[in-house]
Amino acid sequence: MFLSGLLASLVGVSGVVALNTGVAKLPVLGYNTWNAFRCDINESLILETGELMVKHGLLAAGYNYLNLDDCYSEKNRSKSGDIVASAAKFPSGMKNLTNKIHKLGFKTGIYSDSGWFTCGGYPGSFSNELRDLKTFKDWGFDYLKYDNCAIPYDSITRQGIVGRYQPMADAVAKVAAETKTEPIVLSLCEWGWSQVWQWGKRFGQSWRTTGDIEPHWLSLASIINFNSFLTTSTDFYGRNDLDMLQLGNGNLTDDEAKSHFTAWALMKSPLFIGTDLRNVTKETLEILTNREILAINQDPVYGESISPFRWGVNPDWTSDPINPANYWSGQSENGTVFMMLNTRDEATKMSFNLTESPWIRAGRKYSVRDLWAHTNNGTAIRNFTATVPPHGVVALLLKDAGDEPNGIFPECSVWWQCTDRNGTRVGG
């Protein structure tokens, strides 16, 4: 099935200017409570998680946000109309909690919803956007995940989805101006039903593009497939959010976990850990703290996602939630990034011509850095080949190493339409 309708709808996406509020130029790295704990959260658990992030080197690796998700409040607002933190879960109060989180070295985030209620049934922010944003700011939060459940009737809002998100974006700007402080980072959780990648940059620093992630390979493959058609909407200050990292939460193999982390990081998604750090494995921590992969996610020179240059299993531009694009590349400050993703159920020999990537120069050789083995693997000339494990990944950084040797035949790496000065076709 070809995505002609989707592709048509994406015309002009890259022309939308990202919202530069001075915060979140790069993808946010951190922890979110939802995947591991759902509604079973409290202040001692949050602080313990922060301490474990420090202990396990996650803060040092760049995961500097510690965020609460849903279910932190009482079921009803106060008599004056304010959201009230749960007295049972947060007896010391939110301001005390955020002070302690900040002292650990983190920024911190909270959650709300554009509807009557949050997805968990707690008070949403509809018609209370400015009131709630002031509350979150007074509590000391730096980040807001803004969801899309319990939407009021059309006869009440008289707005589409863009209009329903506008009041909270306005509140963020107004509170920042009034307090003369950095604006709260606004992350839209809209699930992509209204093609949020086309308009999300007007309001937030990231926007969810799909439904919730699940802890198995088919969910990961489906999310990668969908987002393979949206890569041009990611750049500095605005990016597709592929949802939270599911490492350690399901039945992923080590190779699948590496593929998950690699795709999310190189597509410049925000990276929020959703693992119970009280039971985290050494293998999961090694994946999460791969500094060579994280450095590309946090590249200060190139903010764009990697993109497919060949689909592999399927013809190019095919949408297949089981077999997304296999061959990807993009720019980084230190060279050209490649990702080979094996969507098959068995180990597969995969190869590509270097100049299939638009960021590679013909007639040059390239040094090869394996970003998972952390090894320098010699020099590639024209082609690269590797055997990739089932549902596994190879991530590479290629750097220009000078002219390729003389006398290589054919004279062009892509021989069709390669022509001698006298008009003779070469290599065909």
Side-chain angles (χ1 to χ4, degrees), residues 66-353:
L66 178 52
N67 292 0
L68 283 67
D69 210 281
D70 205 351
C71 312
Y72 59 84
S73 73
E74 300 287 1
K75 284 285 188 174
N76 297 301
R77 292 177 176 268
S78 69
K79 290 182 179 180
S80 59
D82 295 324
I83 288 180
V84 179
S86 168
K89 295 178 180 179
F90 300 96
S92 301
M94 285 300 189
K95 184 61 177 176
N96 181 69
L97 177 68
T98 60
N99 284 342
K100 289 182 177 179
I101 291 173
H102 289 147
K103 285 180 181 178
L104 286 172
F106 297 95
K107 295 184 177 181
T108 185
I110 199 164
Y111 168 98
S112 191
D113 190 280
S114 63
W116 297 116
F117 308 103
T118 69
C119 298
Y122 293 80
S125 289
F126 175 71
S127 76
N128 286 285
E129 291 86 359
L130 183 59
R131 174 193 296 273
D132 291 353
L133 206 283
K134 287 180 176 179
T135 296
F136 300 148
K137 191 74 170 182
D138 289 343
W139 282 350
F141 287 100
D142 310 288
Y143 180 107
L144 174 63
K145 174 183 172 182
Y146 202 46
D147 219 331
N148 188 39
C149 286
I151 300 167
Y153 294 153
D154 294 348
S155 60
I156 296 173
T157 67
R158 306 293 181 185
Q159 289 284 2
I161 188 68
V162 174
R164 291 199 297 274
Y165 275 92
Q166 183 74 60
M168 184 55 81
D170 291 344
V172 169
K174 183 176 177 63
V175 170
E178 290 178 349
T179 59
K180 295 181 171 57
T181 58
E182 282 190 350
I184 283 179
V185 176
L186 181 59
S187 175
L188 311 182
C189 187
E190 193 276 332
W191 320 315
W193 294 349
S194 67
Q195 300 178 353
V196 63
W197 52 88
Q198 296 195 59
W199 54 266
K201 291 182 180 184
R202 300 180 187 179
F203 303 138
Q205 279 71 34
S206 62
W207 44 85
R208 279 276 300 282
T209 55
T210 65
D212 290 352
I213 191 172
E214 297 176 9
H216 55 76
W217 172 252
L218 291 180
S219 177
L220 306 183
S222 177
I223 292 172
I224 293 169
N225 171 68
F226 191 85
N227 282 274
S228 69
F229 298 95
L230 312 178
T231 59
T232 57
S233 61
T234 285
D235 55 24
F236 289 135
Y237 297 108
R239 54 200 57 87
N240 298 319
D241 179 354
L242 279 62
D243 204 5
M244 289 170 275
L245 295 169
Q246 279 284 19
L247 307 183
N249 287 340
N251 298 315
L252 297 180
T253 67
D254 286 347
D255 288 318
E256 289 170 343
K258 287 181 179 179
S259 295
H260 176 18
F261 183 76
T262 303
W264 265 235
L266 301 190
M267 293 173 79
K268 303 297 180 77
S269 175
L271 300 177
F272 279 104
I273 300 166
T275 304
D276 186 344
L277 297 180
R278 297 172 299 183
N279 305 309
V280 68
T281 65
K282 177 183 176 182
E283 291 75 17
T284 294
L285 288 173
E286 287 176 349
I287 292 171
L288 289 169
T289 56
N290 183 327
R291 292 181 183 269
E292 294 191 75
I293 298 289
L294 289 172
I296 296 168
N297 180 266
Q298 297 291 296
D299 192 308
V301 178
Y302 294 97
E304 297 82 6
S305 165
I306 61 170
S307 295
F309 60 83
R310 177 153 49 92
W311 260 244
V313 170
N314 293 305
D316 291 349
W317 302 105
T318 301
S319 176
D320 183 345
I322 297 175
N323 288 296
N326 297 165
Y327 297 90
W328 303 62
S329 72
Q331 298 180 91
S332 81
E333 65 173 335
N334 294 313
T336 301
V337 181
F338 284 87
M339 179 176 77
M340 292 194 295
L341 182 69
N342 180 15
T343 60
R344 297 172 178 87
D345 297 333
E346 62 279 334
T348 303
K349 187 175 182 180
M350 302 178 67
S351 63
F352 59 90
N353 184 301

Side-chain angles (χ1 to χ4, degrees), residues 3-16:
L3 291 186
S4 57
L6 174 59
L7 295 176
S9 74
L10 298 182
V11 174
V13 165
S14 59
V16 178

